[in-house]
Coordinates of all heavy atoms in Angstrom, one line a residue:
L1 N -59.8 -163.2 21.2 CA -59.7 -162.8 22.6 C -60.1 -161.3 22.7 O -59.8 -160.5 21.8 CB -58.2 -162.9 23.1 CG -57.8 -164.4 23.2 CD1 -56.3 -164.4 23.6 CD2 -58.6 -165.2 24.2
P2 N -60.7 -160.9 23.8 CA -61.0 -159.5 23.9 C -59.8 -158.6 24.0 O -58.7 -159.0 24.5 CB -61.8 -159.4 25.3 CG -61.4 -160.6 26.0 CD -61.0 -161.6 25.0
I3 N -59.9 -157.3 23.6 CA -58.8 -156.4 23.7 C -58.6 -156.1 25.2 O -59.6 -155.9 25.9 CB -59.1 -155.1 22.9 CG1 -59.2 -155.5 21.4 CG2 -58.1 -154.0 23.2 CD1 -59.7 -154.3 20.5
L4 N -57.4 -156.0 25.6 CA -57.1 -155.7 27.0 C -57.0 -154.2 27.3 O -56.5 -153.5 26.5 CB -55.7 -156.4 27.4 CG -55.7 -157.9 27.2 CD1 -54.2 -158.4 27.5 CD2 -56.6 -158.6 28.1
Y5 N -57.6 -153.8 28.4 CA -57.6 -152.4 28.8 C -56.8 -152.3 30.1 O -57.0 -153.1 31.0 CB -59.0 -151.9 28.9 CG -59.8 -151.8 27.7 CD1 -60.7 -152.8 27.3 CD2 -59.6 -150.7 26.8 CE1 -61.4 -152.7 26.1 CE2 -60.3 -150.6 25.6 CZ -61.2 -151.6 25.3 OH -61.8 -151.6 24.1
S6 N -56.0 -151.3 30.2 CA -55.3 -151.0 31.4 C -56.2 -150.3 32.4 O -57.2 -149.7 32.0 CB -54.0 -150.2 31.1 OG -54.4 -148.9 30.8
R7 N -55.8 -150.3 33.6 CA -56.5 -149.5 34.7 C -56.5 -148.0 34.4 O -57.5 -147.4 34.7 CB -55.9 -149.8 36.0 CG -56.3 -151.1 36.6 CD -56.0 -151.1 38.1 NE -56.3 -152.4 38.6 CZ -56.2 -152.8 39.9 NH1 -55.6 -151.9 40.7 NH2 -56.5 -154.0 40.3
I8 N -55.4 -147.6 33.8 CA -55.4 -146.1 33.4 C -56.4 -145.8 32.3 O -57.2 -144.8 32.5 CB -54.0 -145.7 33.0 CG1 -53.0 -145.9 34.1 CG2 -54.0 -144.3 32.4 CD1 -51.5 -145.7 33.8
E9 N -56.5 -146.6 31.3 CA -57.5 -146.4 30.2 C -58.9 -146.5 30.8 O -59.8 -145.7 30.5 CB -57.3 -147.4 29.1 CG -56.1 -147.2 28.3 CD -55.8 -148.4 27.4 OE1 -56.0 -149.6 27.8 OE2 -55.3 -148.1 26.3
N10 N -59.1 -147.5 31.7 CA -60.4 -147.7 32.3 C -60.8 -146.5 33.2 O -61.9 -146.0 33.2 CB -60.4 -148.9 33.2 CG -61.8 -149.2 33.7 OD1 -62.8 -149.4 33.0 ND2 -61.9 -149.2 35.0
F11 N -59.8 -145.9 33.9 CA -60.0 -144.7 34.7 C -60.6 -143.6 33.8 O -61.6 -143.0 34.1 CB -58.7 -144.3 35.4 CG -58.9 -143.1 36.3 CD1 -59.3 -143.4 37.7 CD2 -58.8 -141.8 35.9 CE1 -59.5 -142.3 38.5 CE2 -58.9 -140.8 36.8 CZ -59.3 -141.0 38.1
Y12 N -59.9 -143.3 32.7 CA -60.3 -142.2 31.8 C -61.7 -142.5 31.3 O -62.5 -141.5 31.1 CB -59.3 -142.0 30.7 CG -58.0 -141.3 31.2 CD1 -56.9 -142.0 31.4 CD2 -58.1 -139.9 31.3 CE1 -55.7 -141.3 31.8 CE2 -56.9 -139.2 31.7 CZ -55.8 -139.9 32.0 OH -54.6 -139.2 32.4
T13 N -62.0 -143.7 30.9 CA -63.3 -144.1 30.4 C -64.4 -143.8 31.4 O -65.4 -143.2 31.1 CB -63.3 -145.5 29.9 OG1 -62.3 -145.7 28.9 CG2 -64.7 -145.9 29.4
V14 N -64.2 -144.3 32.6 CA -65.2 -144.1 33.7 C -65.4 -142.6 34.0 O -66.5 -142.1 34.1 CB -64.8 -144.9 34.9 CG1 -65.8 -144.5 36.1 CG2 -64.8 -146.4 34.7
V15 N -64.3 -141.8 34.1 CA -64.4 -140.4 34.3 C -65.2 -139.7 33.2 O -66.1 -139.0 33.4 CB -63.0 -139.7 34.4 CG1 -63.1 -138.2 34.4 CG2 -62.3 -140.2 35.7
A16 N -64.8 -140.0 31.9 CA -65.5 -139.4 30.8 C -67.0 -139.8 30.8 O -67.9 -138.9 30.5 CB -64.9 -139.9 29.5
Q17 N -67.4 -141.0 31.1 CA -68.8 -141.4 31.1 C -69.5 -140.7 32.2 O -70.7 -140.2 32.0 CB -68.9 -142.9 31.2 CG -68.5 -143.6 30.0 CD -68.4 -145.1 30.2 OE1 -68.4 -145.6 31.3 NE2 -68.3 -145.9 29.1
T18 N -68.9 -140.6 33.4 CA -69.5 -139.9 34.5 C -69.7 -138.5 34.3 O -70.8 -137.9 34.6 CB -68.7 -140.2 35.8 OG1 -68.5 -141.6 36.0 CG2 -69.5 -139.7 37.0
V19 N -68.7 -137.8 33.7 CA -68.8 -136.4 33.4 C -69.9 -136.2 32.4 O -70.7 -135.2 32.5 CB -67.4 -135.8 33.0 CG1 -67.6 -134.4 32.3 CG2 -66.4 -135.8 34.1
Q20 N -69.9 -137.0 31.4 CA -71.0 -136.8 30.3 C -72.3 -136.9 30.9 O -73.2 -136.2 30.6 CB -70.8 -137.9 29.3 CG -71.8 -137.8 28.1 CD -71.5 -138.9 27.1 OE1 -70.7 -139.8 27.2 NE2 -72.3 -138.8 26.0
Y21 N -72.5 -137.9 31.8 CA -73.8 -138.0 32.5 C -74.2 -136.8 33.3 O -75.3 -136.3 33.3 CB -73.8 -139.3 33.4 CG -75.1 -139.4 34.2 CD1 -76.3 -139.8 33.6 CD2 -75.0 -139.3 35.6 CE1 -77.4 -139.9 34.4 CE2 -76.2 -139.4 36.3 CZ -77.4 -139.7 35.7 OH -78.5 -139.9 36.5
L22 N -73.2 -136.3 34.1 CA -73.5 -135.1 34.9 C -73.7 -133.9 34.1 O -74.6 -133.1 34.4 CB -72.3 -134.9 35.9 CG -72.1 -135.9 37.0 CD1 -70.8 -135.7 37.7 CD2 -73.3 -135.9 37.9
R23 N -73.0 -133.8 33.0 CA -73.3 -132.6 32.0 C -74.7 -132.7 31.4 O -75.3 -131.7 31.2 CB -72.2 -132.6 30.9 CG -70.9 -132.1 31.3 CD -70.0 -131.9 30.1 NE -68.6 -131.8 30.5 CZ -68.0 -130.6 30.8 NH1 -68.7 -129.6 30.9 NH2 -66.7 -130.6 31.1
S24 N -75.2 -133.9 31.2 CA -76.5 -134.0 30.7 C -77.6 -133.6 31.7 O -78.7 -133.1 31.4 CB -76.8 -135.5 30.3 OG -77.0 -136.3 31.4
L25 N -77.3 -133.7 33.0 CA -78.2 -133.3 34.1 C -78.0 -131.8 34.4 O -79.0 -131.2 34.9 CB -77.9 -134.2 35.3 CG -78.2 -135.7 35.2 CD1 -77.8 -136.4 36.5 CD2 -79.7 -135.9 34.9
W26 N -76.8 -131.3 34.3 CA -76.5 -129.9 34.7 C -75.8 -129.2 33.5 O -74.7 -128.7 33.7 CB -75.6 -129.9 35.9 CG -76.2 -130.5 37.1 CD1 -76.2 -131.9 37.5 CD2 -77.0 -129.9 38.1 NE1 -76.9 -132.0 38.6 CE2 -77.4 -130.8 39.1 CE3 -77.3 -128.5 38.3 CZ2 -78.2 -130.5 40.2 CZ3 -78.1 -128.2 39.4 CH2 -78.5 -129.2 40.3
P27 N -76.5 -129.1 32.4 CA -75.8 -128.6 31.2 C -75.4 -127.1 31.4 O -74.3 -126.7 30.9 CB -76.9 -128.7 30.1 CG -78.2 -128.8 30.8 CD -77.9 -129.5 32.1
N28 N -76.2 -126.3 32.0 CA -75.8 -124.9 32.1 C -74.7 -124.7 33.1 O -73.8 -123.9 32.9 CB -77.1 -124.0 32.5 CG -78.1 -124.0 31.4 OD1 -77.8 -124.2 30.3 ND2 -79.4 -123.9 31.9
E29 N -74.8 -125.3 34.2 CA -73.8 -125.2 35.3 C -72.4 -125.7 34.9 O -71.4 -125.3 35.4 CB -74.3 -125.9 36.6 CG -75.5 -125.2 37.2 CD -76.9 -125.6 36.5 OE1 -76.8 -126.4 35.5 OE2 -77.9 -125.1 37.0
L30 N -72.4 -126.8 34.1 CA -71.1 -127.4 33.7 C -70.7 -127.1 32.3 O -69.6 -127.7 31.9 CB -71.3 -128.9 34.0 CG -71.5 -129.4 35.4 CD1 -71.8 -130.9 35.5 CD2 -70.4 -129.0 36.3
A31 N -71.4 -126.3 31.6 CA -71.1 -126.0 30.2 C -69.6 -125.6 30.0 O -69.0 -126.0 29.1 CB -72.0 -125.0 29.6
D32 N -69.2 -124.7 30.8 CA -67.8 -124.1 30.6 C -66.8 -124.6 31.6 O -65.7 -124.1 31.7 CB -67.9 -122.6 30.7 CG -68.8 -122.0 29.7 OD1 -68.7 -122.5 28.5 OD2 -69.5 -121.0 30.0
V33 N -67.1 -125.7 32.3 CA -66.2 -126.2 33.3 C -65.3 -127.3 32.6 O -65.8 -128.2 32.0 CB -67.0 -126.9 34.5 CG1 -66.0 -127.5 35.5 CG2 -67.9 -125.9 35.2
H34 N -64.0 -127.1 32.8 CA -63.1 -128.1 32.3 C -62.8 -129.1 33.4 O -62.4 -128.7 34.5 CB -61.8 -127.4 31.9 CG -62.0 -126.4 30.8 ND1 -62.0 -126.7 29.5 CD2 -62.1 -125.1 30.9 CE1 -62.3 -125.7 28.8 NE2 -62.3 -124.6 29.6

C-alpha cells in the first residue's frame, strides 16, 4: 500500500515545490527572502 500523507505534509510539499520553481525564475530577487 502507498504511504499515506496528511494534508499538512502535502501543504508543505506544495509550498516547497512552488517556492523552488519561483526561485529558479527569480534567483536574484528571491535569493535572500525567507
Side-chain angles (χ1 to χ4, degrees):
L1 296 174
I3 296 173
L4 300 175
Y5 293 99
S6 73
R7 281 194 181 179
I8 295 172
E9 291 170 322
N10 185 59
F11 183 89
Y12 282 102
T13 299
V14 172
V15 167
Q17 291 170 344
T18 307
V19 168
Q20 181 179 8
Y21 175 70
L22 292 171
R23 284 187 194 279
S24 75
L25 297 174
W26 296 88
N28 296 331
E29 294 80 358
L30 297 175
D32 297 322
V33 177
H34 299 278

